[in-house]
Amino acid sequence: MGASKADFFSEEQNEIASLFKAISHPARVAIIEYLLKVDSCICGDIVNELPLAQPTVSQHLKELKNANIIKGNIEGTAICYCLNPDTMQKLENYFSGISKELKTKCC
Amino acid sequence: MGASKADFFSEEQNEIASLFKAISHPARVAIIEYLLKVDSCICGDIVNELPLAQPTVSQHLKELKNANIIKGNIEGTAICYCLNPDTMQKLENYFSGISKELKTKCC
DNA sequence: TTATTATATTGCAATATTACGATATAACAA
DNA sequence: TTGTTATATCGTAATATTGCAATATAATAA
């Protein structure tokens, strides 16, 4: 079906999965890494940086914003985007939690 | 088109994206968390744990295995699956690297 | 050998994602 | 007002993912 059996899984599992889905596309990874590189928050520079049309970039930004991975502030005509440190921390914590619990013995 | 413009993006960006794609589905998050919970590595127990048919679970396991997120060892008729600590470490490092570089000042 | 158990693969329908041209909106400048 | 710039949304075609029934494979047991 391709549909989500999301109802069965826990809130947390669905939330984590959708966070990762937001960064599961190379264009969105590239956006994140670009936002990390440039100190000042940028906007339509991303369109010049990526090999994608403006509507496509806008769509990717929307997904990242919906997932709370980036924030966007209006600055006159432009929009200033930047990474959301809270979400980055949350993602780091998820894996450090796994590392801590993970037994070394395995099959 | 839905197709990947993967050729433009860097090797690293494509690799990171496909790692996250592997854990971007609640069923696969649930599998990871179940593998973390049970000390001993399991196999078809996952089918009983999840609300999905055996072929569907098998498909999800295959994706996790292809992404190097889990390992599978044959044990007689069964297959023993477990998390791959190296990949978990890699994912943790990716986000701790971001946290380290991330400026607090933002828009 | 046949039967059983555990897992994988195939084929396909339902659904979701990706990309972009065309168009809309919103803020500012002249 | 009109024009310009920056971004968002709509509509849609191409492609990818998800889920499962049916079937195949592989290891062991009887």
Side-chain angles (χ1 to χ4, degrees), chain A residues 17-37:
Chain A
S18 67
L19 261 179
F20 289 128
K21 181 179 278 180
I23 42 180
S24 71
H25 190 286
R28 295 196 288 268
V29 171
I31 290 173
I32 290 172
E33 295 183 352
Y34 183 66
L35 284 174
L36 194 65
K37 195 178 74 180

Side-chain angles (χ1 to χ4, degrees), chain B residues 38-77:
Chain B
V38 282
D39 287 10
S40 57
C41 303
I42 41 76
C43 47
D45 298 342
I46 299 172
V47 176
N48 298 324
E49 188 72 7
L50 301 187
L52 299 170
Q54 180 269 321
T56 307
V57 170
S58 186
Q59 194 175 260
H60 283 307
L61 286 170
K62 189 183 180 183
E63 279 177 70
L64 289 170
K65 203 162 46 177
N66 285 344
N68 261 301
I69 288 172
I70 62 173
K71 296 190 277 188
N73 280 12
I74 297 171
E75 265 189 13
T77 328

Side-chain angles (χ1 to χ4, degrees), chain A residues 41-43 65 71-76 78-82, chain B residues 106-107:
Chain A
C41 303
I42 40 75
C43 46
K65 204 162 44 175
K71 295 190 279 188
N73 279 15
I74 297 170
E75 265 188 13
I79 292 185
C80 167
Y81 284 108
C82 64
Chain B
C106 184
C107 46

Side-chain angles (χ1 to χ4, degrees), chain A residues 80 82 92 94 99 106-107, chain B residues 33 80 82 92 94 99 106-107:
Chain A
C80 167
C82 64
E92 183 183 352
Y94 185 73
S99 289
C106 182
C107 46
Chain B
E33 295 184 351
C80 167
C82 62
E92 183 183 351
Y94 185 73
S99 289
C106 184
C107 46

Side-chain angles (χ1 to χ4, degrees), chain A residues 5-105:
Chain A
K5 277 218 171 183
D7 295 356
F8 174 84
F9 301 104
S10 74
E11 273 291 310
E12 195 242 4
Q13 286 167 341
N14 282 309
E15 198 201 322
I16 285 290
S18 67
L19 261 179
F20 289 128
K21 181 179 278 180
I23 42 180
S24 71
H25 190 286
R28 295 196 288 268
V29 171
I31 290 173
I32 290 172
E33 295 183 352
Y34 183 66
L35 284 174
L36 194 65
K37 195 178 74 180
V38 283
D39 286 9
S40 58
C41 303
I42 40 75
C43 46
D45 300 343
I46 298 171
V47 175
N48 299 322
E49 188 74 7
L50 301 187
L52 298 171
Q54 179 269 321
T56 308
V57 170
S58 186
Q59 193 175 260
H60 283 308
L61 287 170
K62 188 182 179 183
E63 279 178 71
L64 288 169
K65 204 162 44 175
N66 285 343
N68 262 301
I69 288 173
I70 63 175
K71 295 190 279 188
N73 279 15
I74 297 170
E75 265 188 13
T77 328
I79 292 185
C80 167
Y81 284 108
C82 64
L83 294 174
N84 184 339
D86 294 344
T87 305
M88 291 299 135
Q89 191 60 57
K90 191 176 193 172
L91 289 166
E92 183 183 352
N93 290 347
Y94 185 73
F95 289 112
S96 63
I98 287 182
S99 289
K100 222 166 289 172
E101 276 192 67
L102 198 51
K103 309 288 185 300
T104 42
K105 66 178 157 91

